[in-house]
Amino acid sequence: MSEKLEKARTYEAKEEQKIAEELRPLFHLTPRCGWMNDPNGFSIYKGKYHLFYQYYPYETVWGPMHWGHAESEDLITWKYLPCAIAPDEEYDGAGCFSGSAIEMEDGKQLLVYTGVRKEEDEDGHIREIQTQCVAVGDGINYEKYGNNPVIEADALPEGAGRFDFRDPKVWKENGKYYIVVGNKTEDKDGQILQFESEDGIKWTFDKVVIKNNHRFGVMWECPDYFPLDGKQLLLTSPQDMLPEELEFHNGNGTLCVIGSLNENGDFCEENCQAIDYGIDYYAPQTILTADGRRVMIGWMQNWDTCGIRRDDFPWFGQMSIPREISLHNNKLIQKPVREIENYYGKRISRQNVLISDSASLSSIEGRCIDMTVNVRSKDADLSYKKFEIRFADNGKAYSTIEYDPEQNIVKIDRKHSGSRRAIVHQRRCRVEGNKGEITLRLILDRYSMELFINGGEQVMSMGIYTDIKAEGISFKAVGELLMDVTMYELEKKN
């Protein structure tokens, strides 16, 4: 074990003990200490779920990237494992960037990641050189391959850039290993490259999977590529996006490209959409569970909102709740993993409640809940103009979900949640017109909100850092509507 890795493991084990349980979410994974960003190596190894993550243990800001590590038996409760890899070699001394993991035939776990080193050019400019590297281990300890990097600039196709070449996602198919890697071309456009290998160690270039053609942002990060419900999906996170209506927003976003493979195995696009329409979601990665579900997890943060933080927190960054994904009418459907139901506590239900101004319902409150609300017009004609859910409310701080049935727009808003920063606090998305009827499922943890609209047709996520004693929930209508609400309190299981 290198000195850097041993230092990180000693430090995180000590610092973890200082973090009070109530300072963490109940069931969203946070870093063991310090900083977290992208999920890495989301995989199944020896029957357990493993999740690695971009990690800087020493401060709650981005630093030289390590790989944090946790495991779970049910995707909800996570157990920390020791830091997996540290930037301790010449080829990755500036950071062990994002990547993925897979169980090999010999029972070992293979990690594929981007190693970063800095190089000074002839003009004195410092550039980051990004290459692909591997490490092999037993689920706790990993040894980097002696001949890393395994993919360098000389393996890139014509026009591919050598400075932005990162985030390999690995899978095995027909006895071969494959990875897709994000790349920025020399003319500053995103593309996804595919490489193949017989053993997971020695790789050769296979094909360009897809080119951005200057449509969605610039660099395409953190790709994932897999079959789903008879189609082929590519997930990626474009940087520096321009807005398009209410589908895509400025900055760093998420993109799902739905398509199919032709007779030559080439990817043919059919539909493009956002993955998450909220404020905080990036770099999702998926696994295929033993029972055949495709499950996705993402970093519930946005690079442009990292200024929203609690100074008293010894961690920064959290993962989303894992989501089961499927396709319906060639569009992405997302639902919280069904394992969340094993954490249900008290159930409270109210049916056919008439809302005609502002209303609080007895026992409908809390900061760790799974609540489904269905609202509909009281009459055949539209009987209301706006519906609002206010939550994490203590009379001064609160956050809201609003639905405009005339415009068919849902808005999330955290500007009153306690933040002192003028950063992104609102997002809107357009939903299917349902004559004033909508179903909103709200997963609320201590420091986050994830909203699943109309059975998961769209999802909106955001972090909130309001004091956890703010538990009030209320409903408001402009006009009159009928509402059903079912709420489960969420509890940790011993």
Side-chain angles (χ1 to χ4, degrees), residues 325-337:
I325 63 172
S326 59
L327 293 178
H328 181 67
N329 293 332
N330 231 21
K331 292 190 175 180
L332 188 65
I333 303 294
Q334 306 173 59
K335 298 180 179 180
V337 285

Side-chain angles (χ1 to χ4, degrees), residues 74 76 321 324 335-345 370 441 443 488-491 493:
D74 68 355
I76 304 295
I321 188 170
E324 299 179 19
K335 298 180 179 180
V337 285
R338 61 196 67 175
E339 285 85 348
I340 192 69
E341 297 171 13
N342 297 327
Y343 292 78
Y344 282 177
D370 183 348
R441 183 178 177 185
I443 301 283
Y488 294 91
E489 295 179 352
L490 295 169
E491 302 174 344
K493 304 297 182 181

